[in-house]
Amino acid sequence: MTKVKHITIAALLAAAGAAHAGFGDAINAIIDTTPAGAARSAADRPGDFGTFWADTVEGTRMIASKGADLLILPTYTNHPTWDWPQRDEENANPFGAGFGRQLIDERGNERTLFAIAFVDSNYRVEPVVGYSWVARWPIFNTGLHWGAGYIAGITARGDYAWLPFPMPLPVAKIGNDTFSFYGTYIPFTNVFFFYSTIAIDNAGSRKNPLPASSPFADGRTFIYGGAGWTYMDNSEEESKNTIKNDSSWNVGIRRYSGRHWQTDLKYKRAKNDIRVYTDAAQTKGEHKQRLETETYSLTIAYGIDVAKSFRLFAGAGLGYSRAETSTGKDDSWHPVLTTGFTWAPLPNVQVTGGIDTSFARYYGVVEGRPGSYGLRAMPTDFNLSVGFAF
């Protein structure tokens, strides 16, 4: 074998080795962004690697135990006109709530476990659970940063027979360690989805039992009542039919359990004016109706203690609603999403407020809309109540 051939073979082997090393480095870089990477980079585990699955379990445990509590608030859904010429047919208000644990690693990147539920574009509830990783960079000396990364989640939708399917998405953000605003693009539907987060760094204290003097101590009962404003979406294709947003009132009873959990049984009543056209062209047959609804809901929520007398909460449950107009009446069992806050200015006085979203479906209650074409109004109640705790 000539000297030239030796050199050529050596060069090819070196190139192959470099390519293999580059591929290996790329794989390791990807693994580093996963929960397994969180375990492998932990200060108390230098070089002590297990299998990818074992490190994923360990990394997930680390994020869940050491991460800050995270309240997630869906904010806006954008349906771009280049793919949605009749964008007003779709829901743009993804009312709902979520909860997560967020760990800022030694490089300043975010690792987040989350579960969230919100109103999708078709006025149905959509749950998502998953993990996200975001690399962050400071914005000069403002105390803010911007970031980019990915979401690896699993969701299920009513328009896909509720079959679970993976949802890998890009994500970008701007914010600080406490308040942040995120956006993602969903290529399957060509939709932009935005959400906000509030992080409470209480990993060292959230496992401690609440003192008996706490206004949210285990076994306390809170009775309350108040008023609200009910948002009612038209929930149909572009039309002149309208539902007027109007006031509501509610009463409820809450039971605190353990350090973080609360159970609410609530009754809400609202009245809304409806204008509807009975002809297809929406030019004749205008009628006005009065829609009266009442809702009973039972929800369980997780509370995040921001201060001794102030907490945030998010949860879900089951509701039963009745609706009545001059045309007819109907009832509905449905999911309920809730998020809000509770403040105790005095030991036995609490103020609570929040957002309650129902997914009721009413049929035969609106004139000119019989049969299967019911009212999907997605009633969302913004409320404020005060009561007595004992």
Side-chain angles (χ1 to χ4, degrees):
M1 186 177 291
T2 65
K3 183 177 180 180
V4 174
K5 288 184 177 180
H6 279 296
I7 294 175
T8 302
I9 292 173
L12 290 174
L13 290 175
H20 179 74
F23 180 76
D25 290 343
I27 294 297
N28 288 332
I30 294 173
I31 292 176
D32 185 57
T33 68
T34 67
R40 296 182 179 186
S41 62
D44 57 348
R45 292 189 65 199
D48 181 20
F49 301 160
T51 64
F52 175 77
W53 172 248
D55 285 338
T56 297
V57 173
E58 175 63 16
T60 301
R61 185 198 64 79
M62 287 177 53
I63 297 170
S65 61
K66 298 181 180 180
D69 279 334
L70 193 71
L71 182 67
I72 307 172
L73 301 174
T75 306
Y76 179 66
T77 304
N78 176 262
H79 300 82
T81 54
W82 50 264
D83 196 49
W84 299 87
Q86 291 181 304
R87 60 191 298 177
D88 290 340
E89 297 179 9
E90 310 299 323
N91 173 47
N93 300 294
F95 297 122
F99 173 75
R101 290 278 168 78
Q102 185 176 86
L103 180 66
I104 309 300
D105 65 22
E106 70 284 351
R107 299 177 186 174
N109 301 326
E110 295 177 358
R111 301 174 183 271
T112 306
L113 301 170
F114 67 89
I116 185 174
F118 55 90
V119 184
D120 71 7
S121 299
N122 298 315
Y123 301 91
R124 298 185 179 99
V125 61
E126 179 174 353
V128 183
V129 297
Y131 167 80
S132 73
W133 178 87
V134 175
R136 311 189 311 182
W137 298 273
I139 302 177
F140 303 109
N141 294 319
T142 61
L144 299 174
H145 57 256
W146 69 276
Y150 67 85
I151 295 173
I154 296 176
T155 187
R157 292 173 57 95
D159 46 353
Y160 293 103
W162 296 108
L163 296 174
F165 60 91
M167 190 176 65
L169 300 173
V171 65
K173 70 160 292 187
I174 185 171
N176 56 30
D177 285 348
T178 303
F179 302 99
S180 294
F181 183 72
Y182 296 79
T184 184
Y185 170 67
I186 307 174
F188 319 109
T189 55
N190 288 328
V191 166
F192 294 90
F193 183 80
F194 301 92
Y195 59 97
S196 306
T197 64
I198 303 173
I200 307 300
D201 190 8
N202 58 355
S205 62
R206 63 173 171 242
K207 293 182 181 180
N208 299 329
L210 283 171
S213 59
S214 169
F216 315 121
D218 185 18
R220 299 205 81 184
T221 300
F222 172 42
I223 299 176
Y224 57 90
W229 178 78
T230 300
Y231 169 85
M232 299 282 276
D233 195 288
N234 194 33
S235 72
E236 62 179 57
E237 297 182 0
E238 284 188 75
S239 70
K240 296 180 181 179
N241 299 341
T242 60
I243 303 177
K244 182 181 178 182
N245 304 318
D246 213 331
S247 60
S248 63
W249 61 268
N250 70 85
V251 293
I253 182 170
R254 175 182 300 169
R255 182 74 171 179
Y256 294 108
S257 305
R259 180 182 178 98
H260 298 284
W261 295 97
Q262 64 188 48
T263 303
D264 283 71
L265 179 62
K266 182 185 290 188
Y267 172 82
K268 184 198 76 171
R269 191 174 184 89
K271 295 181 180 181
N272 302 83
D273 290 326
I274 299 178
R275 184 182 67 183
V276 62
Y277 292 80
T278 57
D279 71 316
Q282 299 178 14
T283 57
K284 298 179 181 179
E286 176 184 349
H287 295 274
K288 293 183 179 179
Q289 293 181 282
R290 186 70 164 171
L291 173 68
E292 299 186 10
T293 59
E294 54 182 353
T295 299
Y296 301 84
S297 63
L298 179 65
T299 58
I300 299 176
Y302 183 89
I304 303 172
D305 296 322
V306 180
K308 181 179 180 180
S309 59
F310 186 84
R311 67 166 37 180
L312 303 172
F313 63 83
L318 181 66
Y320 170 75
S321 297
R322 291 199 296 256
E324 184 173 359
T325 66
S326 58
T327 301
K329 57 185 177 180
D330 193 23
D331 58 3
S332 173
W333 289 93
H334 53 81
V336 176
L337 302 177
T338 183
T339 185
F341 73 90
T342 306
W343 173 49
L346 297 172
N348 296 102
V349 176
Q350 295 184 16
V351 178
T352 188
I355 306 173
D356 298 331
T357 301
S358 298
F359 295 84
R361 301 290 186 262
Y362 304 121
Y363 299 93
V365 298
V366 178
E367 190 169 358
R369 301 175 67 182
S372 61
Y373 190 31
L375 178 64
R376 300 181 299 168
M378 191 189 70
T380 300
D381 193 52
F382 299 80
N383 53 76
L384 184 66
S385 303
V386 63
F388 181 76
F390 56 93

